[in-house]
Amino acid sequence: MTLYEAELVVERRESVADGVLALTLRHPLGEELPSWEAGAHIDVVLGPDLERQYSLCGDPADRRAWRVAVLREPDGRGGSAYVHGQLRQRDKVRVRGPRNHFALKPAPRYRFVAGGIGITPILPMLAAAEEAGAEWTLLYGGRTRESMAFTEELGRYGDRVRIAPQDETGLLDLASVLDGAPEGTLVYCCGPGALLDAVEERCPAGVLHVERFQPKAQEAGGNTEFEVVLERSGQTLTVPSDASVLDTVRAAGVEVLFSCTEGTCGTCETDVLEGTPDHRDSVLTDEEREAGETMLICVSRCLGKRLVLDL
């Protein structure tokens, strides 16, 4: 699939909470941007070897602008520090996308749970659920009320939204929104790993959909060497125990899109033609893993001796 890629202009840069900046991006010539649906994200190229993924949190009906929000992370890997410290209004950034691994599936009712900057993909989901006539509620937590973005926008939804800053209410009361939910309810959650893990413990299979900003902890296991056949390139390569499929493919001179290298963004998702992947990502659903038709080659490996990939 060919993704849209272009240089966009930072039309607006505004503080929407303590430590959170919202950026409004437009095409310099005023051209329309690709359509997107709630849950989608874009890749933003901030510099050489500095590329990050941000959820779109604006209005999908507005084809002239994309909005993202960026949390300043003092212990991050440099992306948020660049956005907060160096990126200015009227600067240009290269973007690619949108992609969506967190799409809102049709349902009669939803329970949304967001923690901190995890509100960004959830925000357009509320509008989509509202437009679809679904019944929904949102439980939104953060460290403090001042650190929680878009609370003013959320005010229009009234008591369907519960704002729960930790310094005022303690840990999120997940039982109040998840336990006893009627059949047919889907749960969408985004936020810190500890919150996602806690929500997973309360939700039966098939009900929960999550998006992780950090990779999910994997069970410790040894890596073994295996063979990967690149069908379109006509190459057969050996993936050693101390390298990823992505590393091996790139070392052989094959161009492939990638970004996070942690299995969280989905950029390097690749079709599997033969073989059984050892999925170690934090993106694919249980159903997608079971099907084994794609894999994220930055972290996932092979359960056998050989994989054939559409590369």
Side-chain angles (χ1 to χ4, degrees), residues 85-152:
Q86 300 184 51
L87 193 62
R88 294 290 180 257
Q89 193 169 331
R90 292 187 292 277
D91 284 353
K92 291 183 179 180
V93 290
R94 178 153 292 276
V95 303
R96 185 171 57 239
R99 295 183 181 84
N100 200 340
H101 291 281
F102 193 42
L104 186 67
K105 295 184 177 181
R109 63 192 63 83
Y110 301 96
R111 298 292 180 264
F112 297 106
V113 181
I117 198 64
I119 190 61
T120 51
I122 299 294
L123 193 61
M125 289 185 178
L126 306 182
E130 185 84 349
E131 185 176 353
E135 182 270 317
W136 62 267
T137 62
L138 165 66
L139 177 61
Y140 177 22
R143 292 180 294 102
T144 65
R145 191 174 295 271
E146 293 73 24
S147 71
M148 299 170 69
F150 306 120
T151 52
E152 288 188 11

Side-chain angles (χ1 to χ4, degrees), residues 24-188:
T24 300
L25 308 175
R26 291 187 184 268
H27 193 281
L29 300 180
E31 296 179 6
E32 284 195 343
L33 303 175
S35 60
W36 59 279
E37 295 181 347
H41 72 266
I42 57 173
D43 306 329
V44 181
V45 181
L46 300 169
D49 300 318
L50 190 60
E51 182 176 325
R52 296 294 182 264
Q53 291 71 44
Y54 300 116
S55 297
L56 291 169
C57 57
D59 179 4
D62 183 359
R63 295 286 301 276
R64 297 289 181 180
W66 281 346
R67 183 177 70 170
V68 299
V70 182
L71 170 68
R72 175 150 200 157
E73 299 180 89
D75 299 323
R77 296 185 297 158
S80 69
Y82 181 89
V83 170
H84 281 254
Q86 300 184 51
L87 193 62
R88 294 290 180 257
Q89 193 169 331
R90 292 187 292 277
D91 284 353
K92 291 183 179 180
V93 290
R94 178 153 292 276
V95 303
R96 185 171 57 239
R99 295 183 181 84
N100 200 340
H101 291 281
F102 193 42
L104 186 67
K105 295 184 177 181
R109 63 192 63 83
Y110 301 96
R111 298 292 180 264
F112 297 106
V113 181
I117 198 64
I119 190 61
T120 51
I122 299 294
L123 193 61
M125 289 185 178
L126 306 182
E130 185 84 349
E131 185 176 353
E135 182 270 317
W136 62 267
T137 62
L138 165 66
L139 177 61
Y140 177 22
R143 292 180 294 102
T144 65
R145 191 174 295 271
E146 293 73 24
S147 71
M148 299 170 69
F150 306 120
T151 52
E152 288 188 11
E153 289 186 30
L154 291 168
R156 64 189 174 116
Y157 293 120
D159 60 6
R160 282 176 293 176
V161 173
R162 191 192 315 172
I163 305 294
Q166 186 172 350
D167 65 339
E168 298 177 21
T169 64
L171 296 176
L172 289 180
D173 183 6
L174 298 177
S176 66
V177 295
L178 300 179
D179 292 0
E183 186 175 351
T185 301
L186 293 184
V187 178
Y188 280 78

Side-chain angles (χ1 to χ4, degrees), residues 101 256-257 266-271 283-284 288 294-297:
H101 291 281
V256 58
L257 289 177
T267 303
C268 69
E269 185 175 1
T270 301
D271 288 342
V283 172
L284 299 180
E288 289 169 331
T294 67
M295 64 183 288
L296 271 63
I297 62 173

